[in-house]
Amino acid sequence: MTDVTKATEPIDLIRVSLSERVFVKLRGDRELRGVLHAYDGHMNMVLSDVEETIYVVDVHELTNESVVRTVRRNVEMLFVRGDGVVLVAPPSR
């Protein structure tokens, strides 16, 4: 029996992802990919080796056309406040 089959609550899927890379979608068109070190019931998390992707929508002043820019940055260690978390995806198995 694998750890995933022992999950009895949704948060158990996060528990089995400790020390593994996870995908976290945040409010405000932000995404994180990093190694999960800690979490709590409020979905506060500590991630390391994080790649943050921010999608910025710029509107051209003359044509009113929307242009989506992607901004990326790497962060060594990051605390994520749980109230901004929309989705957490464990690594593919």
Side-chain angles (χ1 to χ4, degrees):
M1 186 175 350
T2 66
D3 286 340
V4 175
T5 59
K6 294 179 187 175
T8 58
E9 297 181 17
I11 202 160
D12 290 342
L13 290 174
I14 306 302
R15 178 183 45 82
V16 299
S17 299
L18 281 171
S19 300
E20 296 193 38
R21 289 194 71 76
V22 293
F23 170 78
V24 181
K25 184 160 181 59
L26 302 173
R27 287 192 281 173
D29 296 321
R30 294 174 182 261
E31 297 176 351
L32 305 172
R33 287 177 177 79
V35 178
L36 178 65
H37 289 280
Y39 71 96
D40 64 14
H42 299 285
M43 292 310 301
N44 296 317
M45 291 182 252
V46 176
L47 301 172
S48 68
D49 298 325
V50 180
E51 179 186 334
E52 178 180 25
T53 304
I54 305 166
Y55 298 98
V56 180
V57 178
D58 294 324
V59 178
H60 193 274
E61 292 179 14
L62 298 175
T63 63
N64 279 342
E65 289 184 26
S66 297
V67 177
V68 178
R69 285 189 299 125
T70 303
V71 179
R72 292 191 199 307
R73 73 176 183 142
N74 292 309
V75 182
E76 188 175 324
M77 188 69 71
L78 188 67
F79 174 82
V80 180
R81 186 171 168 178
D83 67 348
V85 174
V86 175
L87 174 139
V88 179
S92 303
R93 299 199 188 274

